[in-house]
Amino acid sequence: MDTYANLAALVLAGLVGLAFVFALYGAVKLLAPSRPYALKNATYECGHDPLGEAWVPYRLQYYAFAIIFLIFDIETAFFYPIVLVWRQIGTLALVETLIFVAVLLVGLLYAWKRGVLKWD
Amino acid sequence: MGLIENAERPNFILTTIDTLLRWGRSHSLWWCNAGSACCSLEFAAMGGARYDMDRIGSGLVRASPRQSDVLLIPGPITKKMAPIFVRVYNQMPDPKWVIAMGSCAISGGAFRESYSMTRGADTVLPVDVYVPGCPVRPEALFYGLLKLRARVRGTSNIGLAHREPIYVPPDLPPEWEAEVREFLGEHEAC
């Protein structure tokens, strides 16, 4: 009995919500003035005709640079919590930090060897 | 659809809904961002904490004419800018209003005799409210906004759709008529 009551409440809430949405969209459809014309639909660029393309090509190399930047970015972000607990952990913290740096360094060396760091 | 705007003549239901809509619109007038001169700084001051136009629902300054109701002209309109203002006005959705702010926008002000200036915003746009001052104080602009709200509340929108959709300034000076037409021309057919 209780389950049915809960279910009925759920269904009722769903129906009321659905009716509300339809009523609002219906009111907008009925009342909102809509007079589209070419000038109104034209791309807005501060009142001028748009210049050039909306899609601007970027050099693909920025992608590699962004990835390599992430190496240093994450490195710095992870160093701060280590510094906070440095006293409690001691030498182990230094060793773990160096391993972490070494792992990231391998990635950097790989990118370096592949010639990603060279711009041309 | 636009039940109100497309109506041929008013009846009780339409006018009641229209009154409700006008009341709502008057409390949510959004600006089109078109700062053409120094009065726009006084307009910016009106958005600050001291005057706070947000409290009457007009705090939103949109970067696109598609989302705005009021075109504020905060300064002189040069003849170069006139076609652009006409175009921006035509890109705003109906119903829309124009406020001319300051001496320059009303009559050309100090630049009236200049070779490059229009003699007031109403030579290119249908201005609803004129707010005098040089520059206009934020209080004065606020008063102008309240006047515009009264106008929005008091003007019926029934039959608005039968108006000409694209606004072309009626008495264009011949020397820059070509430029305005160029800005509108290729889009005129819809």
Side-chain angles (χ1 to χ4, degrees):
Chain A
M1 180 61 202
D2 203 30
T3 318
Y4 286 126
N6 283 340
L7 196 65
L10 188 68
V11 169
L12 196 66
L15 283 179
V16 168
L18 212 63
F20 188 67
V21 169
F22 272 100
L24 278 187
Y25 271 95
V28 166
K29 195 85 188 146
L30 213 61
L31 295 176
S34 169
R35 277 205 300 171
Y37 44 86
L39 176 60
K40 202 190 260 178
N41 292 334
T43 310
Y44 174 65
E45 204 164 286
C46 301
H48 284 281
D49 278 325
L51 284 173
E53 297 285 317
W55 291 74
V56 183
Y58 275 91
R59 282 190 77 148
L60 198 61
Q61 268 176 312
Y62 280 115
Y63 167 72
F65 267 70
I67 296 283
I68 294 169
F69 166 74
L70 273 184
I71 295 177
F72 299 104
D73 197 35
I74 290 174
E75 210 170 304
T76 328
F78 275 98
F79 279 175
Y80 278 103
I82 293 173
V83 169
L84 274 179
V85 294
W86 190 269
R87 291 243 168 83
Q88 285 111 57
I89 302 179
T91 328
L92 189 64
L94 182 66
V95 174
E96 282 193 356
T97 310
L98 285 179
I99 291 172
F100 179 55
V101 171
V103 169
L104 290 177
L105 217 60
V106 170
L108 180 65
L109 287 175
Y110 173 73
W112 199 344
K113 191 166 171 293
R114 288 288 300 271
V116 175
L117 296 184
K118 275 219 177 79
W119 188 248
D120 289 321
Chain B
M1 294 297 225
L3 192 64
I4 309 293
E5 279 76 7
N6 282 318
E8 292 293 336
R9 52 198 190 80
N11 62 40
F12 173 71
I13 299 171
L14 285 183
T15 47
T16 310
I17 297 174
D18 187 36
T19 309
L20 198 69
L21 283 183
R22 281 187 272 131
W23 173 80
R25 272 182 194 135
S26 72
H27 285 85
S28 60
L29 291 170
W30 291 5
W31 305 88
C32 183
N33 194 0
S36 64
C38 35
C39 270
S40 59
L41 299 180
E42 304 294 323
F43 170 60
M46 199 173 87
R50 182 179 285 264
Y51 302 101
D52 191 15
M53 56 189 174
D54 260 315
R55 66 197 150 114
I56 58 166
S58 295
L60 283 175
V61 184
R62 308 308 296 175
S64 162
R66 293 187 177 87
Q67 300 161 352
S68 41
D69 308 297
V70 186
L71 179 61
L72 181 72
I73 315 284
I77 296 183
T78 58
K79 285 174 182 168
K80 273 275 192 207
M81 281 297 284
I84 295 170
F85 268 104
V86 174
R87 185 170 178 170
V88 169
Y89 177 77
N90 276 315
Q91 286 183 331
M92 287 165 67
D94 279 314
K96 51 196 170 186
W97 298 274
V98 179
I99 295 182
M101 178 186 186
S103 313
C104 304
I106 293 173
S107 67
F111 311 106
R112 188 177 169 80
E113 301 302 321
S114 168
Y115 68 94
S116 62
M117 296 290 177
T118 63
R119 274 83 166 126
D122 53 6
T123 56
V124 274
L125 294 169
V127 177
D128 292 290
V129 174
Y130 298 84
V131 186
C134 188
V136 172
R137 287 187 62 86
E139 295 98 317
L141 185 59
F142 213 106
Y143 182 70
L145 177 60
L146 293 178
K147 283 285 169 197
L148 180 67
R149 274 157 57 104
R151 191 189 167 108
V152 172
R153 263 201 301 276
T155 317
S156 170
N157 291 317
I158 290 171
L160 193 80
H162 304 299
R163 218 171 54 181
E164 198 63 32
I166 295 183
Y167 178 80
V168 182
D171 44 350
L172 278 172
E175 64 266 25
W176 47 282
E177 176 161 1
E179 205 163 353
V180 171
R181 295 243 173 235
E182 185 199 337
F183 266 76
L184 301 174
E186 58 183 294
H187 302 288
E188 210 154 0
C190 61

